[in-house]
Amino acid sequence: MRGAGSRPLAAIFVAAIIAMFGFASLSPAGAATAGVSAKKHSKKKHKSSKKAPKPNGKADFTARGSVGDAYVEDATPGIKLLLVNRKNRIVSKGKADSYGSKIFYDQKMGSGYRVFSSKGKKVSATGKFQILKFGKNPPASFYQGKPLHEGLNYVTMRDGVELAMTVRLPSGKDLSDGPFPTYIEHSGYQTAAPHDAFAALLGGKSDPLAPATSTAVGSILGPLLDFATVSVQMRGSGCSGGAFDLFGLPTTFDGYDMVEMVGNQSWVKGGKVGLAGISFSGISQLFAAGTQPPHLAAIAPMSVTDDLYTGTGFPGGIFNKGFAKTWITARMRDAEPAPAGGQDWAKVMTTTGDPMSADSASEMQHCIDNQKLRLQTRDAIKQQEKNPYRTPKLFKYRAPGYWVSRIKVPTFWVGSFQDEQTGGHFPESISKLNKNKNVWISLQNGVHVDSLGPSTITNWNDFLNLFVADRIPKISGLVLSFSSLLYDQVADAPAKPVQQSKYVDYTDVNKARADFEKDNARIRLLMDNGNGVPGSPGAIGANWEMHYNSWPVKEAKATRMYLGKNGALSSKKSRKSSRLKYKADPSARPPQTLNGAGESDAWVAEPPYDWAPLASGKGLGFTGPTLSKDMVIAGSSSLDLWLKSTKKDTDLQATISEVRPDGKETYVQNGFLRASHRKLNRKLSTAIDPFPTHLKQDAAPLSRRKYSLTRVPIFPVAHAFRAGSKIRITVQAVGGDRPIWDFLTVDKGEAKNTISIGGKKPSKFVVPVLTGADAQGTTLPSPKALRGQPSRDYVEASNGG
């Protein structure tokens, strides 16, 4: 999930915000410190196992425990390895790879483990170790007395694995000028590469030892804002040790360890550490904050997903072979052992070292040693192929949303409903923060990069300064004058001007913080992003906004619209039942609206979208009456279909759009469902928000004769349908509505799907209409103005809607 600086000029934007703002060994087995309870996470049962052979020698390799895993290093390549529990039973087997390493994943947490090796009659054993328990954190002393210096550090986590961490200070300062307000950026991109990214840009030369611009929030922006930052390289990537296992428990609890290690540094102001970043380094914040490290002051995630299954990897239970697959494939390439593979900086560090470092030889050796477990990287593509359902063992703790309910610190969260990369599912986890009173969330229409837009960046700066830096925020005049030019560089789009902080003239930081809490609504809905600059459709920035105290918004009323004859959408259902048919043919339209274009083309002012209309006979459309007044929706929606099919399974795509008075149609939001996944979690599901379980045991085929109620969940969105427009809902095969998502669908153009309308089985569309809300006097945006929302000529579906 590429962060906002992925394009070559993006780093110029982040760097040029120069003036935008004023300014390690195995943990003991002792009792748990503050954090998440471990009790219910240590109950995994092993399969039936054999008794281990009696050892007759001492192993010449090392074995240690991580959180839920055990790992071996320095074994003879190819030797047989046995993981043995405290009852002397063999619980897992394997062979050492060509690096002499092996990871035994997903083991029962507890003590008394050993690893045996056998070669002929010789059976060797390691000493006993424990597989670390979920949430059983090291004592405070583990993090003390381990100073970090400016530049590249190698820091030992609770399981003995080293992470590369690069300390970056405000320009022209050294540690003696501290203490500094400090935040961490934790990412699997090239993050901890030790060179100066800003200097590399100014020099106009590519530097393999500079961090990727996708991590510039920590490597460039923070130091320019007078923050010290720590760029933490995720385990299994770059020069960090361990194996890459996307958001596995060891990575999650690295988040706790890194915060505590940094928070104990004498140069960190007040021992308070923030977390910041967009995309990958936004998502990682949710995991780290959920472990509740005591020194964590606040987090500011941007452009995240809340669920690796439903949110991005398998929307509606359908594998996303577009962005999701290409992204994880790239991460696995990053995790390959250097110097033959992996990230550029690791290739250099494992061969020649850093020529600018006085400690180059030592840093080089650390990086070389930290490649040992790389061949044990889990094949995420194979995992996904083997787990088309929501397998709890694989997805439960890898869901960012699982950890959100455990976040206790102040949180500033920004996201776009139509995010072309991470998707629009993320608001489903906002309600998990209900017990946290210090939460400010900005939601808008738009794309991945828009979280850094002018409608939110000032508030982001205010938040970090007030809750991490403990100082008055300020934005300099230079960027107030040139901010629009900077956004043009990052996204090839104009933008509204950045506004000065409203707290700039305060002298009392406590007063400023109290007023920030009072002035900012918990939920800020930024409306018509792209229509905020007159004469510049697609310019970054919202035109108007609405404020609420909760999400889901309490003022949103579930409004039912029944699917009818001739494509009608009505508040009243027909007494007589009838049926409509369509053929599920994903080849009837281009698979993506930016098919073949670059990912960042979605960021420009008017992207070259190819949003094709429904093909004749290949989908159904239903359009409501002309609106006599504005209708504003905010929240999730549901398309409730009574469905049968000539095939046992079919994939459904439901799309909301606005049919405008000028004959154009604007995309609003969509949702997906593999019909066999239709069984709902009744405890979580509501009239507007169905939650399929996606569990294998709940899957059920469709019938050719009998209708099944099939509720298609539609991602959350906020949108104002103007008076004179019509609301439309369509259903068809998956694909053709999103810029870079693509789907591994079960449909081959053969399934003939039938939907019941009216009578005893009335299919309906349920939307969250905001009571008393309107567009606040704003006019209908031009057809291509709204960011993230393609436009096309309205064409009736073959059923008339």
Side-chain angles (χ1 to χ4, degrees):
M1 297 141 202
R2 195 180 54 184
S6 302
R7 299 179 63 185
L9 289 174
I12 296 176
F13 157 74
V14 182
I17 299 184
I18 228 178
M20 182 175 287
F21 310 95
F23 297 49
S25 60
L26 185 68
S27 69
T33 58
V36 186
S37 170
K39 291 182 180 178
K40 61 182 179 181
H41 305 284
S42 303
K43 297 181 179 179
K44 175 179 172 155
K45 294 182 179 179
H46 287 118
K47 296 178 181 179
S48 57
S49 54
K50 295 182 179 179
K51 188 174 182 180
K54 186 176 181 180
N56 52 27
K58 185 178 180 181
D60 58 359
F61 53 84
T62 60
R64 304 188 74 162
S66 188
V67 184
D69 301 333
Y71 67 94
V72 172
E73 291 181 326
D74 301 321
T76 302
I79 197 169
K80 184 178 179 181
L81 299 170
L82 309 174
L83 180 64
V84 178
N85 67 12
R86 65 189 305 170
K87 295 181 180 179
N88 207 41
R89 310 295 292 187
I90 300 170
V91 296
S92 192
K93 300 178 181 180
K95 290 184 178 181
D97 61 30
S98 60
Y99 281 26
S101 300
K102 172 65 182 174
I103 296 181
F104 297 100
Y105 284 108
D106 302 326
Q107 302 300 319
K108 183 178 180 181
M109 302 172 191
S111 59
Y113 283 92
R114 291 181 292 172
V115 174
F116 290 14
S117 66
S118 60
K119 187 175 183 181
K121 295 182 178 181
K122 183 179 180 181
V123 179
S124 301
T126 65
K128 293 183 178 180
F129 60 90
Q130 63 173 306
I131 294 180
L132 305 181
K133 293 185 177 181
F134 182 114
K136 195 167 187 178
N137 300 311
S141 59
F142 176 73
Y143 306 102
Q144 297 167 354
K146 299 176 181 178
L148 304 181
H149 56 79
E150 184 178 4
L152 179 61
N153 299 261
Y154 289 97
V155 183
T156 304
M157 301 291 99
R158 66 182 67 192
D159 61 356
V161 167
E162 283 187 341
L163 297 191
M165 299 185 184
T166 294
V167 175
R168 310 181 196 274
L169 300 180
S171 180
K173 297 183 178 179
D174 57 37
L175 290 178
S176 64
D177 295 314
F180 304 101
T182 303
Y183 68 76
I184 293 171
E185 182 169 26
H186 179 213
S187 175
Y189 297 139
Q190 181 157 311
T191 308
H195 283 192
D196 188 331
F198 189 40
L201 287 168
L202 293 177
K205 295 181 180 180
S206 176
D207 183 354
L209 289 177
T213 54
S214 54
T215 66
V217 171
S219 62
I220 297 178
L221 183 55
L224 292 171
L225 306 182
D226 204 30
F227 280 86
T229 63
V230 183
S231 301
V232 179
Q233 190 70 50
M234 194 169 284
R235 76 166 52 207
S237 65
C239 283
S240 283
F244 185 74
D245 179 17
L246 184 62
F247 297 125
L249 287 175
T251 300
T252 295
F253 284 96
D254 285 344
Y256 182 100
D257 291 351
M258 71 185 183
V259 170
E260 290 307 287
M261 202 69 72
V262 173
N264 274 279
Q265 302 302 307
S266 60
W267 47 264
V268 173
K269 184 179 179 182
K272 297 169 62 176
V273 180
L275 297 175
I278 184 170
S279 196
F280 202 171
S281 53
I283 299 166
S284 65
Q285 295 176 51
L286 303 179
F287 289 89
T291 67
Q292 301 173 8
H295 285 82
L296 183 61
I299 65 171
M302 295 177 167
S303 300
V304 304
T305 183
D306 75 317
D307 195 283
L308 300 188
Y309 185 86
T310 313
T312 307
F314 289 82
I318 310 163
F319 181 50
N320 180 355
K321 66 183 179 71
F323 173 76
K325 182 177 181 179
T326 57
W327 184 85
I328 193 61
T329 300
R331 304 290 71 74
M332 290 172 61
R333 286 198 301 267
D334 273 357
E336 292 173 357
Q343 295 175 346
D344 288 345
W345 80 287
K347 293 177 182 179
V348 174
M349 294 294 291
T350 54
T351 51
T352 62
D354 181 0
M356 296 176 62
S357 173
D359 200 20
S360 178
S362 175
E363 292 172 351
M364 178 178 174
Q365 191 59 53
H366 277 278
C367 191
I368 291 171
D369 290 343
N370 287 341
Q371 307 302 307
K372 290 180 180 179
L373 286 167
R374 293 304 176 79
L375 295 179
Q376 294 298 306
T377 293
R378 272 181 150 172
D379 188 330
I381 301 301
K382 282 187 176 180
Q383 284 184 296
Q384 291 171 329
E385 290 173 348
K386 290 180 178 179
N387 293 276
Y389 299 95
R390 190 182 182 85
T391 306
K393 175 182 174 181
L394 180 61
F395 289 104
K396 180 177 180 179
Y397 300 127
R398 285 181 171 80
Y402 173 87
W403 300 91
V404 170
S405 63
R406 292 158 171 77
I407 296 174
K408 308 299 182 185
V409 296
T411 300
F412 184 86
W413 186 345
V414 186
S416 299
F417 292 117
Q418 293 86 11
D419 191 311
E420 77 285 359
Q421 296 184 23
T422 52
H425 188 273
F426 69 93
E428 296 286 7
S429 286
I430 291 174
S431 62
K432 296 177 181 179
L433 288 168
N434 284 348
K435 293 182 180 180
N436 185 343
K437 69 175 184 177
N438 292 317
V439 172
W440 296 276
I441 298 175
S442 297
L443 304 173
Q444 62 189 344
N445 66 288
V447 295
H448 196 63
V449 73
D450 290 355
S451 290
L452 283 168
S455 297
T456 54
I457 200 70
T458 298
N459 292 50
W460 178 84
N461 167 65
D462 290 345
F463 175 81
L464 286 177
N465 274 284
L466 293 171
F467 290 90
V468 178
D470 196 30
R471 66 187 177 194
I472 301 298
K474 181 182 180 181
I475 300 178
S476 81
L478 181 62
V479 166
L480 292 177
S481 299
F482 292 100
S483 61
S484 293
L485 178 62
L486 303 177
Y487 285 109
D488 185 61
Q489 293 296 302
V490 64
D492 195 15
K496 295 182 71 172
V498 172
Q499 300 297 311
Q500 179 60 270
S501 171
K502 65 167 62 178
Y503 310 108
V504 65
D505 294 326
Y506 280 56
T507 57
D508 184 342
V509 68
N510 291 322
K511 171 64 174 171
R513 188 161 42 244
D515 284 357
F516 177 94
E517 295 174 0
K518 182 174 60 176
D519 296 341
N520 289 275
R522 185 178 184 88
I523 304 295
R524 187 177 176 223
L525 299 181
L526 302 172
M527 306 297 291
D528 291 353
N529 175 25
N531 197 45
V533 179
S536 297
I540 305 172
N543 192 31
W544 54 287
E545 58 187 82
M546 299 185 295
H547 300 156
Y548 293 95
N549 294 321
S550 65
W551 187 276
V553 177
K554 294 179 181 178
E555 293 82 353
K557 179 183 177 182
T559 302
R560 292 164 177 81
M561 302 179 185
Y562 292 92
L563 280 54
K565 293 182 178 179
N566 302 316
L569 196 59
S570 172
S571 59
K572 296 182 180 179
K573 64 180 178 179
S574 172
R575 293 183 179 180
K576 294 183 178 180
S577 63
S578 57
R579 60 188 182 183
L580 296 171
K581 296 182 179 181
Y582 74 94
K583 183 178 287 187
D585 184 3
S587 68
R589 301 194 306 154
Q592 302 158 314
T593 57
L594 287 177
N595 195 33
E599 290 179 9
S600 57
D601 285 341
W603 301 356
V604 304
E606 296 184 79
Y609 291 125
D610 179 14
W611 187 35
L614 273 70
S616 180
K618 304 297 178 64
L620 301 172
F622 302 88
T623 305
T626 301
L627 295 169
S628 60
K629 60 181 181 179
D630 297 344
M631 182 178 75
V632 184
I633 66 171
S636 303
S637 301
S638 178
L639 180 59
D640 300 349
L641 301 174
W642 286 97
L643 175 72
K644 63 182 181 180
S645 178
T646 58
K647 294 290 183 179
K648 292 182 178 181
D649 209 355
T650 189
D651 292 334
L652 305 166
Q653 176 173 283
T655 304
I656 307 173
S657 60
E658 179 177 5
V659 179
R660 301 157 47 100
D662 58 9
K664 299 291 185 179
E665 182 181 9
T666 299
Y667 169 89
V668 175
Q669 189 58 288
N670 61 1
F672 314 90
L673 182 69
R674 178 154 290 170
S676 61
H677 289 222
R678 63 189 177 274
K679 184 171 182 179
L680 301 180
N681 182 324
R682 299 197 176 277
K683 291 183 179 180
L684 297 178
S685 298
T686 67
I688 58 173
D689 201 359
F691 269 78
T693 67
H694 295 296
L695 298 175
K696 184 176 183 179
Q697 63 265 32
D698 291 339
L702 290 170
S703 169
R704 296 175 65 97
R705 298 180 179 180
K706 182 179 179 182
Y707 288 105
S708 298
L709 179 59
T710 306
R711 300 186 61 194
V712 183
I714 301 174
F715 288 158
V717 73
H719 182 80
F721 295 84
R722 291 333 200 269
S725 290
K726 302 175 183 179
I727 188 170
R728 189 189 196 204
I729 184 73
T730 61
V731 60
Q732 61 191 310
V734 295
D737 282 358
R738 294 193 58 87
I740 56 176
W741 283 14
D742 194 7
F743 297 94
L744 187 63
T745 178
V746 297
D747 290 314
K748 309 298 180 185
E750 300 171 349
K752 295 178 181 179
N753 297 338
T754 302
I755 293 172
S756 169
I757 59 175
K760 294 182 179 180
K761 292 182 172 60
S763 296
K764 62 182 181 294
F765 172 43
V766 190
V767 289
V769 178
L770 290 174
T771 304
D774 58 26
Q776 299 182 9
T778 60
T779 58
L780 180 69
S782 61
K784 296 182 178 180
L786 299 184
R787 292 181 62 79
Q789 299 186 238
S791 174
R792 66 187 177 192
D793 293 330
Y794 169 62
V795 177
E796 282 189 354
S798 53
N799 68 309

